[in-house]
Amino acid sequence: MYSAHEASLNSAHIMWFEDSGIQDIPFVGGKNASLGELTRSLRSAGVKVPDGFATTADAYRHFLSANGLESVISDSLDRYRSGGSSLRQAGSIIREAFLSAEFPPDFARSVQQSYGMLCERAGQEQLAVAVRSSATAEDLPDASFAGQQETYLNVSGERGVLEACRQCYASLFTDRAISYREIKGFGHLDVALSVGVQRMVRSDVGASGVMFSIDTESGFPRSVVISAAWGLGETVVQGTINPDKYQVFKPLLGDPSLVPVIQRDIGAKERKMVYGQGGSARTRLVATSEQEQRSLVLTDSEILQLARWGAAVEEHYGRPMDMEWAKDGVTGELFMVQARPETVQAQRSASSFRMHHLRRPGRLLATGAAVGESITQGPVCVIRDAGDIESFVDGSILVTQMTDPDWVPVMKRAAGIVTDHGGPTSHAAIVSRELGVPAIVGTGNATGVLKPGSEVTVSCAEGEQGRVYEGLLEFDVEEVDLGTLPATRTDVMINVASPSAAFRWWRLPVAGVGLARMEFIINNLIRVHPMALVHPERITDADTAASIRELTANYESPEEYFVSVLATGIAKIAAPFHPKPVVVRLSDFKSNEYAHLMGGQYFERPEENPMLGFRGASRYYSNEYKEGFELECRALKRVRDVIGFTNIIVMVPFCRTIHEAETVMDVMADNGLVRGSNGLRIYMMCEVPSNVVLAEQFAQMFDGFSVGSNDLTQLVLGVDRDSEMLAGLFDERDPAVTTMISQVIKAAHRAGIKIGLCGQGPSNHPDFAGFLVHEGIDSISLNPDTFLRTLPMIAAAEQRPAEDSVT
């Protein structure tokens, strides 16, 4: 039995996690100091950290001195810098010297005694541990070493622990670590290595992953992003698999009645890392089962527990954090196994906003998760093996299956990076962000479809999905200091359709979302006609029925698939703008558009003029669609009452008559959307001339109006807005249209309700923006990419006399 007194005799060599903290970085490195800080300071917040200890920087220097390694290091690196040897040769000489060195007896005894105490605490004779490197310059706010040193898992026995410590020491001088320190300007002998020895969580039969307390792509600070996979966490960290991705809205975590999960994406998770069997292999990769691939790794309660831990860690450190977690498959317990400062988004200015705009898309070659928000281009350079890195051509688009720390030197020289495997928290993604190199990860097929030497455009400026296009496409870059934007009396909002793109715009000083289009989520994410989910028995085509079953297989029912995907999609649009209002328009597909959804042909009748046909409010109470509308209502109720976004306003489109308005409000109430309940406000799209003529009567039934200028112009002028032949006649500045808009603004204000306009008119025509301002409109909602140039127009219009506007 080992006593605490015996362990303390060699305290110069060992520090237990509970006795250390972030102030001990010089002694145990950033990684181990952080584990100590978590262990000591965050237990009260419920954060669990596996037990362990760390060897000290003094112990490392003792090891160097006892074996005369300082001169080996200095001489080898001097030869490398002078051109007398290659990086590979210098690194190999140093590593061999480490691996043949012996531990000083007092140091070895300290490790053996501490490992014995760790076994006693766990009640096991040969406890399996993780042995992790922790450099004294690692995980600092201005330098993420991104896995530069090694980790050894499933190590047991005194001899095994010492050997893993020796290998960790040698890993301080891998080629990639030497190169990285050269880039960052760290002196090689100024960096010491601590080794953490920590009880292994049985995540080999459980799960693990990474977590950020900030959105890693947009820098949105109020979300927690979690990646999860089966088995040991190295597959997620290294980016060898595509994990599940979850996102949680932090401000609502304090209410235990809410479930503020705003994203659940099932990753492919084709493989998992488990403990090795026999021989010297400590771990091995195995294929996951079909059930594991199709299932979410974490339950909602586990997602929320991790997110609360992430928020607590961030609050304790006072900055965004990058964390690793593990779930013990035997006990079901969750553990935090690492926390370090997030080093990329935290350093970005919140007042500077840069946008890349692709002028027009080209032929699409590959898609994956976008890293960054910019566009780059160049010739393709496919490298499948790290041994071929030297063939990389500077300024090319690096295309490979995946990256690990060995690839860092070449990643820095790439114009862009595209990988087959990995997710937003993989090695390729983390390093690409730090280097400022646009990347698309997890394409699945880039190395096969992108031809070496061919020129491509890599676009990360179109939301979460990155796209690789054929050829060198034209694009623009716009940069604005948000602090210089003028204030306006008019509320200037934006229109948002894509949940994946919504986070791009959180920095914009908008007054909320004036139009969130439900159709985008249905068409692009759900992809199935709502009625086909309510009545799958009506689908007679075997292939269509099979496709629907595959999409909905992981949900309690086909209806739940629709409700869940729509609810989280709307929530993700609402999150960046909370608590500002987000106006969500109920579905406004035309019958021909609904027919194109999966299974749609079984529920839609052909119409001669779908633009004026079975659309908007008329659908919601019809026997042909009201069961589908019920799903829309259930999703909206879930977003407001369960996820917690009560800032969502529901808007009814294309409502032709007072009777229709009354009927729709009754149907909504029957489905749980009661005007005034839990603060629910219901708006109406003002886009039919009858809405203007009877505005004061409609105003008695709704809390606000939003002028749909496209449809209103179409119906006032009798011009098909989709007709190229009549394009010259379609103009929202026509006196007939502006007269109608003026009338409805006055009517809304007489009734005491808000009125806004959503459409391109104010962006395209400064005089139209001036007209709206001088008519006293309450809000103008713009497409996000026009906000920066249109806001000054609106501010200028507020300063001009009314006669300068459209009349």
Side-chain angles (χ1 to χ4, degrees), residues 4-15:
H5 173 69
E6 287 175 309
S8 68
L9 294 177
N10 293 298
S11 58
H13 300 147
I14 300 294
M15 288 187 74

Side-chain angles (χ1 to χ4, degrees), residues 496-555:
V496 180
S498 167
S500 67
F503 276 43
R504 292 183 62 201
W505 312 111
W506 73 269
R507 287 183 172 87
L508 294 180
V510 302
V513 175
L515 176 62
R517 301 181 184 91
M518 191 181 286
E519 298 85 46
F520 183 96
I521 301 172
I522 297 172
N523 191 58
N524 292 277
L525 303 182
I526 297 173
R527 297 163 46 201
V528 184
H529 194 290
M531 292 299 290
L533 297 169
V534 177
H535 291 289
E537 74 280 359
R538 297 187 194 175
I539 310 300
T540 58
D541 177 71
D543 290 341
T544 302
S547 296
I548 294 174
R549 284 196 299 272
E550 184 176 357
L551 281 172
T552 61
N554 298 310
Y555 296 83

